[in-house]
Amino acid sequence: MYRAFLPLYRAHRDWFYDWCAIGSIYGAPSDCIWGGGRVGAEDCDPHAALALIREYGISARLTFSNSLLREEHLADRRCNALCRMLETDNEPQNGVIVHSELLTDYLRRTYPRLYLVSSTTKVMTDFGQLTRELERNAFRYVVPDFRLNKAFDRLSTLPDPLKAKVEFLCNECCWYGCGDRKQCYEAVSRKILGESGSEHRCAAPNAGEGYRFSKAMENPGFIGIDDIVHTYLPMGFTQFKIEGRSLGSALILEFLLYYMTKPEHQLKVREEIYLSNALDLF
């Protein structure tokens, strides 16, 4: 999908909002024990992915947000090889999204040319905790829990250097009242490590529907285009994250159309990528 989208983004920059740019593309192969994202099939060669991202001057980020790592996991050959690859290819600078303090310390010692991002999987819903995390020199960016997205009375008090480090998760679909978010992430981390444990069962209303963008838009923590332009940017916040790397490419494209593409050009992007007069949906 990105092989199709990025050439359009370069060749037809006028189709896209001039106030936004792609800062990074993130992910990790499914066989990485440092990973903390959803477990699924992976058919993308990391070298090819990095070459594509580098061609367009975009920073690559490894999602290594496993929260249950132990000392013996740090020697994993696969994950270390990927970090070496990203550190060697350091123009633009690449980074790692991380949860574990053990892994944070290891990466800072071993791969100092990679920047670090504090993961939303830490579920930082307390503003004091978020502020302390932002003050740490270890992290270039910090992704708070989406339930702090609209805490404007407290967000506005942050000094400008800390505002520049906040990376808001825009399109979270998780139930706003969920109290099991951290346990959900831990269950994923345990599964990636191949360890036994109880399967997490989401108790959110309509959880069986899975991710729906329309449902995310109704979430009290949702950040839309108008919010970015008229609220967050004037306040001094400039970093925004779109979730969904484990979703299908059709839905990811809808995210890119909504967040990056001017409405009058959205159909043109669809036509260039997949629409044709011979396409039948049913």
Side-chain angles (χ1 to χ4, degrees), residues 152-188:
F152 298 125
D153 57 332
R154 288 166 288 175
L155 290 167
S156 63
T157 66
L158 291 173
D160 289 343
L162 297 191
K163 286 182 178 179
K165 295 178 67 174
V166 181
E167 186 172 281
F168 292 100
L169 182 58
C170 293
N171 60 329
E172 176 58 61
C173 190
C174 184
W175 179 36
Y176 196 80
C178 179
D180 300 328
R181 191 166 169 82
K182 182 168 287 189
Q183 292 89 330
C184 177
Y185 285 127
E186 288 178 352
V188 173

Side-chain angles (χ1 to χ4, degrees), residues 85-104:
M85 181 180 73
L86 262 66
E87 189 180 49
T88 301
D89 186 279
N90 212 33
E91 184 57 47
Q93 187 178 13
N94 300 313
V96 182
I97 303 171
V98 64
H99 179 132
S100 164
E101 290 296 325
L102 185 68
L103 183 59
T104 296

Side-chain angles (χ1 to χ4, degrees), residues 192-209:
I192 291 174
L193 292 174
E195 298 177 352
S196 59
S198 58
E199 187 79 15
H200 179 76
R201 301 294 181 185
C202 182
N206 303 317
E209 294 179 349

Side-chain angles (χ1 to χ4, degrees), residues 33-34 66 68-80 100 102-103 106 109 193-195:
I33 64 170
W34 295 356
N66 195 303
L68 302 178
L69 297 177
R70 299 184 297 275
E71 188 73 34
E72 61 266 28
H73 296 133
L74 298 180
D76 182 78
R77 295 177 62 184
R78 171 70 158 160
C79 296
N80 277 282
S100 164
L102 185 68
L103 183 59
Y106 176 77
R109 293 193 314 268
L193 292 174
E195 298 177 352

Side-chain angles (χ1 to χ4, degrees), residues 41 194 237 250 269 277:
F237 296 104
V269 175
N277 58 12

